[in-house]
Structure formats: C-alpha cells, structure tokens
Amino acid sequence: MLRTFKTLSSKAAAELDGELMSSGAFSIDQLMELAGLAVAQAIYKEYPPREKTPNNVLVLVGPGNNGGDGLVASRHLRLWGYSPYLYYPKKSSRLELYGNLLTQLNDLGVSDYESWSDIQEKNLLKNTELIVDSLFGFSFKPPVRSPFDAVLKYLSENHRFLPPIVSVDIPSGWDVDTGAGAIDIHPAMLVSLTAPKPCAQKFVESEGAVSHYLGGRFINQKIATKYGIEDLVNSYKGNDMIVKL
Amino acid sequence: MLRTFKTLSSKAAAELDGELMSSGAFSIDQLMELAGLAVAQAIYKEYPPREKTPNNVLVLVGPGNNGGDGLVASRHLRLWGYSPYLYYPKKSSRLELYGNLLTQLNDLGVSDYESWSDIQEKNLLKNTELIVDSLFGFSFKPPVRSPFDAVLKYLSENHRFLPPIVSVDIPSGWDVDTGAGAIDIHPAMLVSLTAPKPCAQKFVESEGAVSHYLGGRFINQKIATKYGIEDLVNSYKGNDMIVKL
C-alpha cells in the first residue's frame, strides 16, 4: 500500500462535491451509481465471490450519500453472485433516490433489517463473510448518535472475531480530518472516493489494514488541478474504474 | 457470433423500459449511465485505444435517449484515452440530463458540431478511426427526417471507405422490428441494450458484421422471466457489464 498520497480535507471534499454537481453538471444519481459501482468492483477484486454458495455480505447503510453508495454497491454485488443483506435502520426521505435504490434491491431479493438486535438474535453474522461499512462519509461529525453507536461499538469490541470490514470513503466513527476514532472500528479495506480523506493516512498505518483502493473516475483535469489531485486522477489504468493505491 | 437469440420487439422493449422506470424505480440518469458505460466497455474490448496518439472517434448523437447513451459512452471513452468528437445537430431540451451530459463532455475538452457539412469541410473523417452511431433507438419510426437523413445517406453511400461503425441498440435508419433499411448503413458492431431487437437478426446475417455485444446488466429475474429473456440476463460472466453474443 502507498504510504503517502494527496488527501482532501472534509471541507475541500465538500467543495469539490458541490462543484461537480453545480458547474460540473453531474446529478447525484449519476455520481452515486459510479461511486457504488467502484466500491463493488474493488470488493470483487479483493474478495471475489465463490462459484457455488454465494458469499453473504452484510452492508451497513447510513442515512446519507455514503449509505446510498452502499445501496448501489449492494445491487451490483447481488448481480455478480454475492448475497448481500442490509442493516438500514434510519431511512431518510431527503432524497427519493434512497427509496428507489432500496426498491431495486428488494426486487433482487435483498433483505433489509432495521434492528441491530434482530441481526444478532438471528445469528446472521455467523455466516457472514464480509461487512461493508457505508454508514458515514466525508461530512461525518462526531459524536456517533443512536442507533449507529450500538453497531459501531459492536464492530469495535468484537473486531478480532468478525469478518473483514470494507469501509466506503472513511472508516465510520473516525474523524474525517484527524482519524481519531470516536469509536474505533478496524477496517481491512478502504475504498476512497475521488481522493483519500486525511483519515486514510491513519488507515494505511493501522495494524489490520490490507488494501486501499481509489474509485470515482469522473474528475476532469480542471477540477483535478484546482484541488491538486492530478496524480490520483491520472493513476487509473486502461478502462478500470478503480485503482489499488 | 450467435446466429439465434431471443429478441424484444419495439413494443415489448418500450414496455420493459417503462416498467424499469416505474415499478422498477430506476431513474433515467442511472439507466443511461449504465447503458453508456456498457457501450464504452464493448468498444474498449473490440477497438482498444492506442498508447500514444489517441484514437479519434466520431459520435453521432441523436435527439433522444439513444443519443444520451452515446454522450455517456463518449465521456468514458474520453477518460480512457480516446479522443471523441460529436455530431449533435438537434439538442432536445426534453431532458435536462442531455444538456448536463454535454457540459460534462465539454469540460473534458470534447468538441461538438451541429453541422454535418462542417465536419466534411474540415475533413475530420479522414483521421477518424471509429464512428459510434447513437442516433436512434428502439422507438425509431421511419422515415428518417432532416438533418439525420444527410449523415445516414453519407454513411450508406460511402461505407466502403469509412472506419467501422458501432451502432448503439439498433443500426440507425433500420426498422426496429423488420431490419428493413429506410437508409441502409452497414455497422461492423452492434451493442444491444437489455436484449437484442428483431433487427439484430438482420445485423448478424449482414456481410460487414464483425461483433455483437449485449449490455445493460440491471434486469431482475422477475422482469427477465416476464419478457422471456432469462438466458440473456444470465449470460453475463463475473463482474462484466457486457457480454459478447
């Protein structure tokens, strides 16, 4: 893994995102589709599905855009032979898109759970081989509020007995800019979107870190130059939507 | 190339499309992003870009959703090292999305031309290595109207001297259900979306046909069964978004 790379602060990431959707003319549907697809492709590369029994994947879905990325990733994973199921406790109606993404998943036979104790009582984690953490993204500010504190505490306290965690954009519960863990989960893999956030630096130095991917191949040179992320934007090969850092 | 495959009539294709966007809860932005990406991936597989000089690709953009697929494909091709330019004579404001996709392309340095004679006078075809035909899709009804008749006539009359044509969903000018050519262009490659239309049968039997791809991997089993396209939907391998038929 690359030990040093350019990062974007939470403030810069929010600005770049706003720019993509205003002057850049991208819609949230488009960006979320491309981001979620990149997350799914990185997972496919690092944890390929088995031929016969589908891999059970628990996807933790937050109330905002990071959760939306997780919903899109779940759809592609399902189509590629995985068997995802969702912990999705707080369904925001801020974007109609979130509800639509969930309908698409339900139509593919993907179940969603609203209660963490339900998942525990049914012992679903026992046969789960991967956990996708799409709870919080670059706009996360501590503290972690209910009901997300319970699941993050569980992941933190039981991390030696759990399947690998793949975090989307940031390890949920970590401070975006310092990496300080309000609750300290231990992802094995991080998929940074557009550019790593400063907390990715703590991730690559952490004991359990196995791989770090970059996704979000939709940045033009003008934006790349403005935010000083040309090297990252130019690091994709061929027609890949992801690159291993 | 497969000589026989299940096809969807123009009427059935329109119904399926409507179903995806109503009960299926897909947005047009999502579907167009996935369709255009599939087109670009098929082109990358069949006509990979050179390392040094970028391949010039002329993309013919129609006024509707087929044109939108071409705009999305152009963006991905540009990011992957091709040098696309557009013939886009009739910009419909029916969907804000079309204008947004064009802005995204212009931000990547992709030029668009509104006049076919401009492209001819500048002799741009001389250095063009591929033509993407995204003029008309499954809702096309003859006759071909101005200004599209001029470019299709040109492609038809000069086909022996032109670079390969890649048609998106249907060869433009061909009757969707019979394959009868109001104006008879000769694509080398066809990318069918969701399922081939009946005119794809004429394509695979045509003299110049080199390859036939299927894209649009977002159909659930219920819809696949309803429209009798399970074999097509289940023919994708691994995490591919396209499959060569």
Side-chain angles (χ1 to χ4, degrees):
Chain A
M1 277 185 294
L2 275 182
R3 291 280 146 184
T4 55
F5 37 79
K6 173 78 188 184
T7 61
L8 278 185
S9 70
S10 54
K11 189 164 168 281
E15 277 170 19
L16 191 160
D17 214 44
E19 207 164 318
L20 277 179
M21 288 194 276
S22 55
S23 62
F26 280 92
S27 73
I28 183 75
D29 297 40
Q30 261 189 300
L31 292 176
M32 204 169 275
E33 192 62 36
L34 292 170
L37 178 59
V39 168
Q41 287 184 337
I43 289 171
Y44 190 95
K45 198 154 184 178
E46 202 70 20
Y47 302 102
R50 275 191 308 275
E51 286 279 320
K52 303 283 175 186
T53 343
N55 308 39
N56 294 320
V57 178
L58 167 60
V59 184
L60 309 172
V61 183
N65 290 347
N66 199 262
D69 296 341
L71 293 173
V72 171
S74 300
R75 171 162 35 84
H76 292 291
L77 290 173
R78 179 73 187 85
L79 290 167
W80 300 342
Y82 296 83
S83 191
Y85 66 103
L86 315 176
Y87 171 58
Y88 191 8
K90 210 175 154 185
K91 296 183 177 77
S92 155
S93 56
R94 194 176 63 80
L95 269 189
E96 196 192 352
L97 177 57
Y98 301 144
N100 288 341
L101 294 173
L102 183 60
T103 300
Q104 293 161 27
L105 284 166
N106 291 338
D107 285 349
L108 288 164
V110 173
S111 307
D112 65 295
Y113 296 86
E114 300 208 333
S115 143
W116 182 242
S117 51
D118 241 28
I119 289 175
Q120 290 187 290
E121 279 159 25
K122 288 186 177 159
N123 220 354
L124 296 179
L125 278 168
K126 202 185 144 210
N127 295 312
T128 296
E129 288 152 80
L130 200 66
I131 297 173
V132 177
D133 153 34
S134 55
L135 287 175
F136 307 130
F138 62 76
S139 53
F140 170 75
K141 298 261 180 281
V144 178
R145 290 195 171 79
S146 173
F148 303 105
D149 52 350
V151 57
L152 287 179
K153 260 181 207 151
Y154 183 91
L155 296 186
S156 174
E157 286 165 8
N158 298 282
H159 75 96
R160 297 200 185 276
F161 314 103
L162 288 173
I165 297 174
V166 177
S167 283
V168 177
D169 211 23
I170 68 158
S172 294
W174 291 22
D175 185 283
V176 181
D177 291 324
T178 68
I183 301 175
D184 216 359
I185 68 164
H186 302 263
M189 174 169 158
L190 174 66
V191 185
S192 292
L193 295 170
T194 309
K197 313 306 169 287
C199 62
Q201 194 62 53
K202 184 187 146 200
F203 166 76
V204 298
E205 289 159 10
S206 69
E207 201 194 330
V210 175
S211 60
H212 182 200
Y213 283 83
L214 177 69
R217 191 175 183 181
F218 39 64
I219 304 295
N220 64 51
Q221 288 299 324
K222 199 178 142 199
I223 290 187
T225 305
K226 178 170 172 186
Y227 289 89
I229 55 172
E230 301 97 319
D231 288 353
L232 291 167
V233 166
N234 295 325
S235 65
Y236 296 97
K237 304 282 176 237
N239 68 342
D240 293 347
M241 315 288 283
I242 50 168
V243 57
K244 200 168 180 173
L245 296 182
Chain B
M1 278 186 294
L2 276 182
R3 292 279 146 184
T4 55
F5 37 79
K6 172 80 186 180
T7 61
L8 279 185
S9 70
S10 54
K11 188 164 168 280
E15 276 171 22
L16 192 160
D17 214 45
E19 205 164 321
L20 278 178
M21 289 195 275
S22 55
S23 61
F26 280 92
S27 72
I28 184 74
D29 296 41
Q30 261 188 300
L31 292 176
M32 204 170 274
E33 192 62 36
L34 292 171
L37 179 59
V39 169
Q41 287 183 337
I43 289 171
Y44 190 94
K45 199 155 184 181
E46 202 70 20
Y47 302 102
R50 275 190 309 277
E51 285 278 320
K52 303 283 176 186
T53 340
N55 307 38
N56 293 320
V57 178
L58 167 60
V59 184
L60 309 172
V61 183
N65 290 349
N66 200 262
D69 296 342
L71 293 173
V72 171
S74 301
R75 170 161 38 83
H76 292 290
L77 290 174
R78 178 74 187 86
L79 290 166
W80 300 343
Y82 296 83
S83 190
Y85 65 103
L86 315 176
Y87 171 58
Y88 191 7
K90 210 175 152 184
K91 298 182 175 78
S92 155
S93 56
R94 194 176 64 80
L95 269 188
E96 195 190 354
L97 176 57
Y98 300 144
N100 287 342
L101 293 173
L102 184 60
T103 300
Q104 294 161 26
L105 283 166
N106 292 339
D107 285 350
L108 288 165
V110 173
S111 308
D112 65 296
Y113 296 86
E114 300 208 333
S115 145
W116 182 242
S117 52
D118 240 30
I119 288 176
Q120 290 188 289
E121 279 159 26
K122 287 185 176 160
N123 220 354
L124 296 179
L125 279 168
K126 203 185 143 208
N127 295 311
T128 296
E129 287 151 81
L130 201 66
I131 297 174
V132 177
D133 153 33
S134 55
L135 287 174
F136 307 130
F138 62 75
S139 53
F140 170 74
K141 298 260 180 280
V144 178
R145 290 195 173 77
S146 174
F148 302 106
D149 52 349
V151 58
L152 287 180
K153 262 182 206 153
Y154 184 91
L155 296 186
S156 175
E157 286 166 8
N158 297 281
H159 75 96
R160 299 202 182 274
F161 315 103
L162 288 172
I165 297 172
V166 178
S167 284
V168 177
D169 211 21
I170 68 158
S172 295
W174 290 22
D175 185 282
V176 181
D177 292 323
T178 68
I183 301 174
D184 216 0
I185 68 164
H186 303 262
M189 174 170 158
L190 174 66
V191 185
S192 292
L193 294 170
T194 309
K197 313 305 169 289
C199 63
Q201 195 59 55
K202 186 188 145 198
F203 166 75
V204 299
E205 289 159 10
S206 69
E207 200 194 333
V210 176
S211 60
H212 183 199
Y213 283 83
L214 177 69
R217 193 175 180 179
F218 39 65
I219 304 295
N220 63 51
Q221 288 299 325
K222 199 177 141 201
I223 290 187
T225 305
K226 177 170 173 186
Y227 289 89
I229 54 172
E230 301 97 321
D231 288 353
L232 291 167
V233 165
N234 295 326
S235 65
Y236 296 96
K237 304 280 175 237
N239 68 343
D240 292 348
M241 315 289 281
I242 52 168
V243 58
K244 200 169 181 173
L245 295 183

